[in-house]
Amino acid sequence: MGSIKDIFNGPHHKFAWFVLITTSIFLFTWIVGPGTTVIHWAKTRITIARQENLIKELKLENAELDKKINLLKHDRDTLEKFAREQFHFSAPGEDVYLIEE
């Protein structure tokens, strides 16, 4: 078996050059050409990974909010604390002082 140099200088050198040029054009077009290319696939994969991470974060946030909702529904002390802090509610006869920074 000869070397690569022999392929491009041998009796079938025109065919070897044709295959090399055709393959190069195909690969170039496949990587950076119009339509669905390798670069497009890579960008899409990065976008999908970001969206999956966002979904995980939102699921964790939803779980935390569900826990808070459950506490507010079933624990009277937590509900009272929430109402006092967020809406400045007070029991009859209590004075409420708001301190703003």
Side-chain angles (χ1 to χ4, degrees):
M1 220 148 225
S3 68
I4 294 178
K5 188 176 182 182
D6 293 338
I7 293 172
F8 288 102
N9 292 328
H12 302 293
H13 71 281
K14 288 184 181 180
F15 180 72
W17 280 107
F18 172 76
V19 170
L20 178 69
I21 291 170
T22 305
T23 304
S24 299
I25 292 171
F26 171 75
L27 289 176
F28 180 77
T29 305
W30 187 47
I31 292 172
V32 295
T36 307
T37 64
V38 174
I39 294 172
H40 178 73
W41 292 340
K43 287 179 182 178
T44 303
R45 182 63 197 135
I46 291 169
T47 303
I48 289 171
R50 287 181 183 157
Q51 295 297 325
E52 287 173 347
N53 287 336
L54 180 61
I55 288 171
K56 288 178 186 176
E57 291 174 14
L58 291 175
K59 283 183 179 181
L60 289 173
E61 185 178 341
N62 279 347
E64 290 175 13
L65 290 174
D66 285 340
K67 287 179 186 177
K68 286 182 182 179
I69 289 171
N70 194 27
L71 278 175
L72 291 173
K73 281 184 178 180
H74 300 294
D75 186 15
R76 184 170 171 79
D77 293 334
T78 305
L79 179 60
E80 184 177 333
K81 180 182 176 188
F82 178 78
R84 287 175 183 265
E85 290 175 357
Q86 296 296 318
F87 302 111
H88 312 296
F89 284 6
S90 65
E94 283 185 341
D95 292 329
V96 176
Y97 297 100
L98 299 178
I99 301 173
E100 295 187 28
E101 297 177 14

